[in-house]
Amino acid sequence: MVTNLPAEARAKWIKVMEARGVEEKIRALEEFLSAVPKHKGTANLRLWATRRLAELREELEERRKKKARKGISFFVEKEGAAQVVVAGLPNSGKSLLVKRLTGARTVVADYPFSTTNPVPGMLRYEDLYFQLVDTPPLVPGSAYFNRVIGLMRNSDAILLVLDNTRDPVREYIDLSRILEERGILLQKPRGRVVIERARTGKTGIRVTFMGKLVDATIDDVRKLLEAYHVYNAHVRVYGEVTLDDVEQALFESRVYKPCVVVINKAEINVASAREAAYRIREVNPNIPVVLGSAKLNKGFRDLGWILFKVLEIIRVYTKQPNGEISKTPLVLRRGATVYDVARAIHKDFVNKFLYAKIWGSSSKYPGERVGLYHVVEDGDIVEIRIKG
Ligand SMILES: Nc1nc2c(ncn2[C@@H]2O[C@H](COP(=O)(O)OP(=O)(O)OP(=O)(O)O)[C@@H](O)[C@H]2O)c(=O)[nH]1
Ligand SMILES: [Mg+2]
């Protein structure tokens, strides 16, 4: 095991996982930390927990302030198909970019730290909207740093804005390191474990594979989770994963966030921007790099489509038997099935399900009859037939 925690600390961790609300989580995390023995093996865990505590304390303070003066809060309610946090070093052009793409009224200024609060705006892509959130600059030790990190952790994706008049490759490397230290990974790890704990009902431990466990069996996973008193959970394994990764996932200490890099102010020196993009792609071939100029509002035409791709979402249109096709799509994760569509329409639909009819790229022919476990694709039209 990664951390070799004594039973007492594990028991305290259960309290952290079960805590609802920020205050309870803070208290539980404090108790957990005091129960973790101090040695090399737990150093990372303690560091992570300490930082997480700092984030939560700031969030709590923020919420209190908001209550007291109904003022602006750092917490941004999600809207649209996904929340994309726009982040970067001071003066890189985050605010101007968000303003250009969404029309949001956010402060643009030629001095650093001009943005002190997150400002959301909506970016349209076909029949979807993505919520872009302008943020204060990401500088460790600065007043807003922990809160911006908290926003990013909560987001669905990150738009990293680099400044072409400085050294964008350096900015990219520094920012990804800063984020990684805080447990936010911009690259999809080779293997990934997601543990969804069931709050109600006795479902037992269910493991589904989109990859494999390299050094353990499902039984080992079950034993590990039971050591943490987790008896009801859905464990999803993506790619190649070790038992250590499963334990890490229990601590939610690392999250992967899809990312798009923007090299802004490209108009100032197009050749250097291209060179920087090339080098960033060398460092990380999986992250899309967009060159553009917020000042001229050029280069961002495909951004909506690129976000749609990295978010790995699909749109499904529902249709009533002999009725109209819905105008607004259901937004689902890639790999979703008719089951997910049915559940999204109504909780009874899964129980009463008879069959579905499908039009679109996942169907063999228009109107094909399929069952609950048929995988749907972007643009599919789904009609669900139920009993009664
Ligand atoms: N030449 C050029 N200048 C730009 C571009 N985008 C932004 N700027 C300028 O860069 C300065 C900073 O822009 P902001 O949008 O305020 O930058 P920011 O990243 O939000 O800054 P902070 O909120 O302080 O982190 C302003 O003077 C902008 O006019 C661009 O594409 N080209
Ligand atoms: Mg700004």
Side-chain angles (χ1 to χ4, degrees):
M1 278 188 212
V2 234
T3 47
N4 236 334
L5 288 181
E8 192 204 343
R10 283 205 299 260
K12 301 271 187 208
W13 178 253
I14 296 155
K15 292 271 186 301
V16 177
M17 288 193 286
E18 278 166 359
R20 290 177 187 230
V22 182
E23 280 173 57
E24 207 182 319
K25 199 139 198 157
I26 290 174
R27 234 176 299 123
L29 206 48
E30 283 167 347
E31 285 189 19
F32 167 69
L33 253 176
S34 61
V36 175
K38 291 195 172 80
H39 56 74
K40 236 170 132 192
T42 61
N44 279 336
L45 182 65
R46 278 182 287 127
L47 185 64
W48 167 78
T50 310
R51 286 170 167 169
R52 189 79 188 103
L53 247 176
E55 273 172 48
L56 286 166
R57 284 187 184 131
E58 287 192 25
E59 193 179 328
L60 182 67
E61 196 187 326
E62 227 14 82
R63 280 174 199 236
R64 280 191 181 140
K65 267 197 228 151
K66 192 190 178 188
K67 261 196 199 145
R69 55 175 164 80
K70 285 199 173 323
I72 324 144
S73 151
F74 227 84
F75 178 72
V76 183
E77 206 75 53
K78 285 190 183 185
E79 274 181 64
Q83 185 179 64
V84 181
V85 166
V86 179
L89 296 182
N91 245 346
S92 57
K94 301 175 290 298
S95 298
L96 189 57
L97 182 69
V98 171
K99 189 178 179 152
R100 292 279 191 255
L101 295 173
T102 71
R105 272 188 247 159
T106 176
V107 181
V108 176
D110 59 2
Y111 54 87
F113 290 91
S114 51
T115 306
T116 52
N117 274 298
V119 181
M122 302 307 278
L123 166 72
R124 191 169 154 197
Y125 165 66
E126 296 186 346
D127 53 1
L128 293 180
Y129 282 92
F130 297 127
Q131 181 188 48
L132 301 189
V133 184
D134 183 25
T135 60
L138 203 56
V139 178
S142 70
Y144 307 102
F145 181 68
N146 277 334
R147 279 171 278 176
V148 179
I149 293 282
L151 273 179
M152 294 171 102
R153 203 190 296 288
N154 258 323
S155 72
D156 301 305
I158 293 168
L159 195 69
L160 219 47
V161 181
L162 312 176
D163 189 330
N164 188 43
T165 65
R166 300 189 295 235
D167 182 348
V169 182
R170 183 82 261 146
E171 286 190 3
Y172 171 75
I173 291 170
D174 288 349
L175 285 169
S176 34
R177 202 205 54 236
I178 289 169
L179 293 175
E180 195 175 332
E181 277 171 10
R182 303 303 298 258
I184 298 175
L185 307 179
L186 303 180
Q187 316 197 44
K188 215 184 236 185
R190 263 199 320 140
R192 201 149 54 96
V193 184
V194 179
I195 301 176
E196 247 173 69
R197 293 176 359 105
R199 290 213 182 263
T200 51
K202 296 218 178 329
T203 56
I205 289 171
R206 193 155 65 93
V207 186
T208 50
F209 291 96
M210 261 74 86
K212 66 173 182 212
L213 273 165
V214 287
D215 64 348
T217 63
I218 294 187
D219 220 43
D220 296 331
V221 171
R222 198 164 285 134
K223 277 195 201 119
L224 173 70
L225 295 191
E226 282 172 5
Y228 283 94
H229 295 237
V230 174
Y231 302 106
N232 299 297
H234 182 191
V235 181
R236 293 200 303 267
V237 170
Y238 300 91
E240 289 192 1
V241 156
T242 64
L243 199 58
D244 276 0
D245 295 328
V246 178
E247 191 176 3
Q248 285 275 4
L250 214 45
F251 287 92
E252 309 159 356
S253 56
R254 279 186 297 177
V255 288
Y256 157 70
K257 293 290 167 190
C259 173
V260 176
V261 167
V262 165
I263 301 181
N264 189 36
K265 310 190 188 180
E267 93 284 356
I268 288 185
N269 186 340
V270 179
S272 79
R274 285 211 183 106
E275 167 73 19
Y278 179 79
R279 283 173 49 207
I280 290 169
R281 287 189 191 112
E282 258 182 351
V283 179
N284 190 339
N286 300 318
I287 295 185
V289 184
V290 174
L291 310 185
S293 164
K295 187 179 172 189
L296 306 178
N297 199 8
K298 274 195 166 157
F300 306 115
R301 208 180 303 152
D302 294 333
L303 199 58
W305 180 78
I306 293 169
L307 282 171
F308 181 73
K309 288 291 166 201
V310 299
L311 282 161
E312 303 191 56
I313 50 179
I314 58 165
R315 289 162 293 184
V316 169
Y317 302 82
T318 53
K319 176 182 172 303
Q320 304 223 344
N322 309 317
E324 295 265 304
I325 299 164
S326 66
K327 292 248 169 3
T328 38
L330 272 179
V331 176
L332 300 169
R333 242 183 273 170
R334 199 191 290 161
T337 58
V338 169
Y339 179 99
D340 300 303
V341 178
R343 209 179 45 177
I345 301 174
H346 194 277
K347 61 181 193 315
D348 279 352
F349 263 47
V350 172
N351 297 329
K352 294 184 181 164
F353 181 84
L354 284 174
Y355 64 90
K357 288 173 86 173
I358 304 254
W359 292 260
S361 41
S362 83
S363 66
K364 288 199 199 85
Y365 50 86
E368 186 196 357
R369 264 193 191 213
V370 296
L372 275 178
Y373 297 103
H374 176 86
V375 175
V376 287
E377 276 168 33
D378 185 44
D380 278 0
I381 297 165
V382 180
E383 176 184 310
I384 290 177
R385 299 284 179 132
I386 55 169
K387 289 175 217 157

